[in-house]
């Protein structure tokens, strides 16, 4: 399971909304999360995908989150959505249901009371659109 890796990714993305984390910060988070080499490669890959597809992911969130534009989302919800959407759309080795379930669990742990269902709803729609295509 990549639960620790996803949680570490979440913390990195969350903190990046307040200050630009540097390489040392990221490596420190990997050590603090006690990630193995495979987890570090996975995290680096997902961070790279998020950077590469940032505008697309933002547009998807804006299109799916009718009540709140992406810029107004809780930073925790936004962070977890970026991770899960990157996994769903760009990581063939991650099952969609796993990405959505892990995202809902992180949202439930780190965000508001209603965040898990909000995140699940958006990700269910992303998965449905992917499966149509």
């Amino acid at each position: 399971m990549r639960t620790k890796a996803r949680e570490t990714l979440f913390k990195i993305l969350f903190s990046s909304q307040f200050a630009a984390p540097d390489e040392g910060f990221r490596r420190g988070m990997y050590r603090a999360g006690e990630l193995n080499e495979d987890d570090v490669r996975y995290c680096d890959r997902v961070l790279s995908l998020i950077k590469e597809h940032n505008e697309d992911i933002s547009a998807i969130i804006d299109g799916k989150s009718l009540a709140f534009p992406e810029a107004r989302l809780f930073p925790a919800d936004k962070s977890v959505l970026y991770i899960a959407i990157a996994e769903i759309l760009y990581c063939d080795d991650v099952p969609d249901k796993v990405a959505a379930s892990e995202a809902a669990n992180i949202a439930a742990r780190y965000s508001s009371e209603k965040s898990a269902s909000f995140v699940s709803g958006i990700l269910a729609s992303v998965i449905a659109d992917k499966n149509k295509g």
Side-chain angles (χ1 to χ4, degrees):
M1 290 288 287
R2 292 179 171 151
T3 301
K4 287 193 319 185
R6 283 185 184 91
E7 213 166 289
T8 300
L9 271 171
F10 165 79
K11 291 174 183 178
I12 292 168
L13 286 177
F14 181 82
S15 67
S16 73
Q17 294 178 61
F18 304 101
D22 61 11
E23 177 77 16
F25 174 79
R26 190 172 40 134
R27 295 291 168 202
M29 292 299 295
Y30 291 169
R31 279 190 303 278
E34 300 177 352
L35 302 185
N36 63 37
E37 288 181 33
D38 288 337
D39 288 339
V40 168
R41 278 193 297 276
Y42 159 79
C43 288
D44 285 343
R45 183 176 112 203
V46 173
L47 287 170
S48 177
L49 288 168
I50 289 169
K51 184 177 179 180
E52 179 182 347
H53 299 284
N54 186 51
E55 290 179 19
D56 295 333
I57 295 171
S58 178
I60 289 167
I61 294 170
D62 271 342
K64 302 291 181 194
S65 176
L66 303 177
F68 297 102
E70 181 260 350
R72 291 192 55 219
L73 290 179
F74 289 140
D77 296 350
K78 183 176 173 179
S79 298
V80 76
L81 283 168
Y82 268 80
I83 294 165
I85 292 171
E87 287 181 322
I88 291 166
L89 296 181
Y90 310 112
C91 296
D92 293 336
D93 61 325
V94 178
D96 296 344
K97 288 183 180 185
V98 171
S101 175
E102 290 275 322
N105 289 338
I106 292 171
R109 184 169 178 195
Y110 289 99
S111 195
S112 75
E113 189 175 296
K114 297 179 181 181
S115 289
S117 61
F118 171 75
V119 165
S120 292
I122 288 180
L123 296 177
S125 180
V126 170
I127 291 167
D129 287 352
K130 176 186 170 187
N131 291 335
K132 282 182 201 172

